[in-house]
Amino acid sequence: MWSLPQLPRTRTLKRIGLLTSGGDAPGMNAAIRAVVRTALSRGIEVRGVQKGYSGLVAGHWVDMDRASVANILQTGGTALKTDRCDAFHDPTVRADTAARLRGAGLEALVVIGGDGSLSGAHLLEQETGFSVLGLPGTIDNDIWGTEDTIGFDTAVNTALEAIDRLRDTATSHERVFLVEVMGRNSGFIAATVGIAGGAEIVITPERPVDDETVLEALNLSQERGKHSSLIVVAEGEDPQFINRLNEHLNAAGYQARACILGHIQRGGSPTGHDRVLASCLGYAAVDHLQAGLSNIMLGVQENRVLGVPLSEVISRRRQTPEALLEVARVLAT
Ligand code: F6P
């Protein structure tokens, strides 16, 4: 459980906006619900923006009441819908958007999303003075300033369930399964899933390996008496990597099969962990805005919820901890 700071309520707020942006992540709905219910309990109105920054630019927002967030806590996806919006990269579009928000009586905006979404939020406040507050919502867990992101735990458990199933068929057929998990350029999901699923090899962008090294590791594993193996591959930058490796292993005499888990990892009911994380961050978002704090992202560090300047968050990327990669490597061999 995370401890929340006690903040003075120095800023009077009447109306705030709320959006989800970028790739959806399980737990976003729990965060939406928490922001809405906390704000309403303090007499603050909430406008829910439809489809991320695209809806913000177009002025597509709706009033949110307690009923509008009923029964969404346990659901995946985002009830507000989401988008990746190119138009918001244009500073004139951001200036027009801020004017539109002010015209509608909005005083602050909560943005739930990954690094691209948080960059947009930061620029909006920096250029126009319109208050923003970010919450880390991405399955990738690659956001600077927080040890955990909304959706990561669920994605790991979803991938793990698939891996456990693949293990059954791999054992029965004495095959090698290559399983690609998401994470863009981060190996956080792959390393975590690899450890939890007992993978024989874990391949991440942080520790790339070539086909021959994988083959050698597999041969060694066979010599030690293993007749089936599971290789977890982070998606990384090269979408063809897994297929090439699969061909290479088959050509070397293994019965290999490639399985790309893909967007399955983004869906489904959030775990209890993600629901509570999202609820605490959503609650704290209102607290921080009422304390006059903005242009920050709320994250968790050493079991505490705390604010980190968005300028810092977007200028760095959280690296997969070396220790995690090393545990994955040592336990795999
Ligand atoms: O950032 C979340 C994520 O799911 C990454 O892991 C993945 O690389 C990317 O989004 C996929 O994006 P899209 O849904 O736009 O294909």
Side-chain angles (χ1 to χ4, degrees), residues 23-24 84 138-140 142 182-185 189 235 263 266:
D24 60 347
R84 300 194 195 274
T138 168
I139 64 166
D140 299 341
D142 60 350
M182 275 192 167
R184 210 178 286 272
N185 298 321
I189 294 179
E235 63 180 343
H263 289 80
R266 288 240 296 263

Side-chain angles (χ1 to χ4, degrees), residues 116-240:
S117 312
L118 299 172
S119 293
H122 169 64
L123 290 171
L124 183 66
E125 172 147 359
Q126 188 185 41
E127 293 166 1
T128 71
F130 191 85
S131 299
V132 299
L133 187 140
L135 299 183
T138 168
I139 64 166
D140 299 341
N141 207 9
D142 60 350
I143 306 287
W144 178 261
T146 184
E147 291 163 2
D148 202 357
T149 57
I150 297 165
F152 172 70
D153 185 64
T154 307
V156 164
N157 280 289
T158 303
L160 194 55
E161 194 186 327
I163 279 172
D164 288 347
R165 286 167 194 260
L166 291 170
R167 175 74 76 184
D168 293 344
T169 179
T171 310
S172 305
H173 284 265
E174 300 196 333
R175 282 178 173 164
V176 175
F177 267 88
L178 297 147
V179 191
E180 185 188 282
V181 297
M182 275 192 167
R184 210 178 286 272
N185 298 321
S186 163
F188 219 129
I189 294 179
T192 309
V193 164
I195 293 169
E200 275 69 27
I201 303 174
V202 180
I203 305 174
T204 59
E206 294 86 349
R207 293 190 177 190
V209 289
D210 58 25
D211 295 355
E212 276 311 306
T213 312
V214 175
L215 196 53
E216 278 166 28
L218 271 186
N219 290 341
L220 188 67
S221 167
Q222 290 271 320
E223 281 163 27
R224 286 177 179 157
K226 277 201 176 174
H227 300 294
S228 64
S229 297
L230 228 137
I231 304 177
V232 174
V233 183
E235 63 180 343
E237 268 172 12
D238 179 0
Q240 287 313 318

Side-chain angles (χ1 to χ4, degrees), residues 6 14 26 40 81 119 128 153 155 189 220 222 233 237 249 271 283 290 293 313 319:
Q6 297 289 314
K14 285 207 181 94
L40 294 179
K81 305 249 169 84
S119 293
T128 71
D153 185 64
I189 294 179
L220 188 67
Q222 290 271 320
V233 183
E237 268 172 12
L249 297 183
T271 57
Y283 172 94
Q290 284 192 296
L293 298 164
V313 171
Q319 302 298 318

